Amino acid sequence: MKHDRICQDTGGYLHCTNGKAIKVVNTNYGRTEYNVCRHDDIKINDCRDGGLSMTIIRNKCEGKAYCDIWVSNETMGSDPCSTTKKYLQVEYECTGKGRRFVICNFSALKY
């Protein structure tokens, strides 16, 4: 299991190697620890997004080997605790094989 944290208004990435694909297990956009992404503007230390970031990160990253993420209120779809700086916490596994795409030129096929 991999654990990554990306601070609000910064970018980061999830990645898997050896042909493995990202399987998102859990996420939270908010704040549950004071010492992560420290900032002077931390007024709440128990803030969760109610699962919205899970849907967003799964749609963006699931099944890929690499996934860039920009973390902001806009990209995470909400501002669950407007009076404090937040971070995205992601737990994911690298499993199976990544997505593969095959592009066919149907005019070249013979029946």
Side-chain angles (χ1 to χ4, degrees):
M1 183 84 62
K2 292 187 172 192
H3 303 268
D4 282 324
R5 294 175 176 149
I6 306 169
C7 301
Q8 181 180 352
D9 299 322
T10 65
Y13 62 90
L14 310 181
H15 75 285
C16 294
T17 57
N18 300 325
K20 303 281 185 177
I22 296 165
K23 178 177 172 43
V24 181
V25 176
N26 194 22
T27 69
N28 182 57
Y29 176 59
R31 177 166 290 282
T32 58
E33 296 179 38
Y34 181 77
N35 290 327
V36 176
C37 297
R38 292 188 62 121
H39 193 275
D40 292 338
D41 190 21
I42 298 175
K43 297 179 176 58
I44 297 173
N45 202 36
D46 187 20
C47 172
R48 299 174 190 277
D49 70 358
L52 182 57
S53 64
M54 181 74 149
T55 300
I56 291 168
I57 299 303
R58 274 191 173 158
N59 287 339
K60 183 171 178 56
C61 301
E62 191 91 9
K64 297 179 180 179
Y66 182 91
C67 182
D68 281 314
I69 301 170
W70 181 261
V71 177
S72 68
N73 293 332
E74 293 76 26
T75 61
M76 294 298 106
S78 71
D79 185 355
C81 41
S82 60
T83 60
T84 197
K85 284 287 191 178
K86 294 158 282 297
Y87 56 89
L88 174 68
Q89 182 169 317
V90 182
E91 295 177 27
Y92 66 101
E93 298 174 337
C94 295
T95 62
K97 293 185 177 181
R99 292 182 192 160
R100 293 182 184 221
F101 297 94
V102 177
I103 300 171
C104 297
N105 180 348
F106 292 106
S107 64
L109 294 177
K110 298 198 185 226
Y111 297 95

